[in-house]
Amino acid sequence: MQTEIEKIRHTGLQDIANAASPDDLERVRVAYLGRKGALTQILRGIKDIPDAERAAIGGAANRLYDELDKAITLRREVLLRSGRESVLKTEWLDVTRPGARPPKGHLHPLTKILREMTAIFAGMGFAVVEGPEVETEYYNFDALNIPAEHPTREMWDTFWLQGNQKEIANSKTQFPSKSQSANSKARRNGEKILLRTHTSPVQVRYMEKNNPPFRIIVPGRVYRYEASDASHDIQFYQLEGLLVDRAVSIAHFKAVMREFFSRFFKKDITLRLRPSYFPFTEPSFEVDMSCLSCDGKGCSVCKKTGWLELGGAGMVHPHVFAAAGYGRGEWRGFAFGMGVDRLAMMKYKIPDIRLFRSGDMRFLKQF
């Protein structure tokens, strides 16, 4: 038995040394140390050896098992190392070469338009302010000269909500603090809340806590409870502006609008103001610009009129200034509002406002 063990030791070490690949080495391991391997068979037959020889033969067989197992482990490391080196020689890698960049997302077209509009107004000295989308009845209507019995409330189909009215009414804003009258606080306590129908409430919130002169724009999302079609949706983005000073006129407003739209559409724009009515401005007017498609000559886009409607505007109503705590007749200002989605449709020639929120990647990847 000792002779057979020595023979297995000699041939096993030799076969391990001659293994040319990890697969060859695995076959050698199975042949000697596997379940039916040569050394495994000797270990299983130790129980049949006479007691006088069993300890010596068993010890020799176990030592050989450890020796072969260690030799196989060392040989496997050598083969794996040489295999990696051969791959590097045949498949050379330049570690200084820039890697493949994963695909990145891009801005939504409405985000791009909003940033462009904000940048233009910022260049004219307007600050950007924001406010809550869940608003109180006071800020959304009453403070803007639209009391509960006013017929123009029907212009804003509204989503009314149930919730903590006091928390919304006293919500913190980013504006510096300024004392508010006890009367205005009392009027807001216990009021109903709603999804804001325009961003004008932010103008009132800003005026309550800031003194003129100032010029601000208020971009944000608004909500209307109305049927959706190609030009209307239950939610859309709006950008409103407010400029307050001591000597402000409609001429200043028209100059600001002409400058903005000329920069936005990157061409000279002709504007006109049509008399209109808004409860929070007096006088009020609709703002039209010359049609981009036909240069004012008349086409199907402008319905043969040569003009495209952009939004509403006017001089701030004295009642709005009074609600904000300003002295009557001391300040003048103009306010304006425009639909961001509508401007994006005009600039990119998009036929349906619902495409912006459809989630259709075929549409979004175009921008």
Side-chain angles (χ1 to χ4, degrees):
M1 187 68 70
Q2 288 284 6
T3 304
E4 189 173 351
I5 291 176
E6 284 299 321
K7 182 179 179 181
I8 291 174
R9 179 179 184 279
H10 176 74
T11 58
L13 292 175
Q14 187 175 9
D15 290 345
I16 292 172
N18 292 334
S21 68
D23 292 337
D24 291 344
L25 186 62
E26 178 63 17
R27 285 191 287 269
V28 172
R29 187 195 68 79
V30 173
Y32 289 95
L33 306 182
R35 189 161 56 88
K36 297 181 179 180
L39 185 57
T40 304
Q41 295 301 321
I42 292 178
L43 289 170
R44 287 179 178 176
I46 289 177
K47 64 181 184 299
D48 301 326
I49 299 174
D51 293 344
E53 301 177 8
R54 184 180 302 166
I57 294 175
N62 281 317
R63 286 193 296 273
L64 178 58
Y65 188 97
D66 293 339
E67 184 179 0
L68 293 179
D69 184 61
K70 185 179 294 185
I72 289 171
T73 300
L74 293 175
R75 182 61 180 167
R76 182 180 291 111
E77 291 179 358
V78 172
L79 292 174
L80 291 175
R81 190 184 309 115
S82 63
R84 288 193 295 267
E85 291 174 353
S86 63
V87 169
L88 289 176
K89 290 179 181 178
T90 57
E91 300 179 10
W92 181 76
L93 175 66
D94 182 3
V95 296
T96 64
R97 182 179 179 180
R101 295 185 178 181
K104 293 183 178 180
H106 62 282
L107 295 177
H108 192 278
L110 291 179
T111 303
K112 294 175 65 176
I113 289 293
L114 265 173
R115 291 188 177 185
E116 184 177 353
M117 295 172 69
T118 300
I120 294 173
F121 278 112
M124 292 188 283
F126 284 79
V128 180
V129 297
E130 296 178 340
E133 293 183 9
V134 177
E135 197 46 278
T136 65
E137 183 180 21
Y138 171 77
Y139 281 114
N140 200 81
F141 291 121
D142 295 341
L144 293 168
N145 200 33
I146 314 175
E149 69 280 1
H150 203 292
T152 56
R153 278 209 186 188
E154 298 179 2
M155 296 169 56
W156 288 275
D157 296 319
T158 307
F159 289 103
W160 294 98
L161 305 175
Q162 292 181 349
N164 189 336
Q165 294 94 332
K166 188 174 181 180
E167 179 180 344
I168 299 298
N170 298 326
S171 62
K172 295 181 179 180
T173 66
Q174 63 179 352
F175 315 134
S177 62
K178 177 191 171 195
S179 60
Q180 301 178 7
S181 66
N183 183 42
S184 65
K185 286 184 178 180
R187 292 178 65 186
R188 293 196 298 276
N189 287 336
E191 277 195 285
K192 294 186 293 183
I193 59 175
L194 64 149
L195 294 179
R196 65 183 182 187
T197 59
H198 44 186
T199 58
S200 301
V202 184
Q203 299 181 20
V204 179
R205 287 179 176 270
Y206 187 88
M207 285 192 290
E208 282 184 342
K209 298 184 178 182
N210 292 270
N211 292 316
F214 57 76
R215 56 186 77 178
I216 62 171
I217 56 171
V218 186
R221 188 161 45 188
V222 299
Y223 304 86
R224 304 279 175 86
Y225 182 63
E226 60 184 351
S228 296
D229 56 31
S231 57
H232 300 85
D233 205 350
I234 63 172
Q235 61 173 312
F236 55 93
Y237 281 92
Q238 191 176 55
L239 185 144
E240 298 193 11
L242 175 65
L243 188 150
V244 178
D245 209 326
R246 295 192 183 279
V248 178
S249 68
I250 297 175
H252 294 112
F253 164 75
K254 195 170 183 179
V256 169
M257 289 295 99
R258 183 184 295 112
E259 180 67 16
F260 168 76
F261 286 112
S262 295
R263 293 189 191 182
F264 183 76
F265 290 108
K266 296 180 173 57
K267 61 185 300 184
D268 291 335
I269 299 296
T270 302
L271 295 181
R272 76 172 183 183
L273 306 181
R274 289 183 292 112
S276 185
Y277 171 76
F278 301 107
F280 32 82
T281 54
E282 179 61 37
S284 304
F285 33 83
E286 300 284 352
V287 182
D288 300 334
M289 76 172 188
S290 55
C291 180
L292 297 174
S293 300
C294 63
D295 292 328
K297 298 176 182 178
C299 64
S300 59
V301 176
C302 60
K303 300 178 182 180
K304 305 298 182 181
T305 64
W307 298 94
L308 295 173
E309 183 178 331
L310 298 175
M315 303 302 292
V316 180
H317 198 288
H319 290 176
V320 177
F321 281 151
Y326 294 174
R328 182 173 295 273
E330 184 178 358
W331 300 99
R332 291 174 56 83
F334 62 76
F336 57 89
M338 60 190 78
V340 177
D341 303 53
R342 190 68 58 82
L343 288 178
M345 293 173 68
M346 294 170 60
K347 186 164 187 174
Y348 296 137
K349 294 180 172 56
I350 297 171
D352 195 322
I353 193 173
R354 293 168 293 189
L355 288 171
F356 290 122
R357 296 167 185 85
S358 65
D360 191 336
M361 295 304 296
R362 295 171 301 177
F363 169 74
L364 296 175
K365 285 182 178 179
Q366 299 179 58
F367 302 95

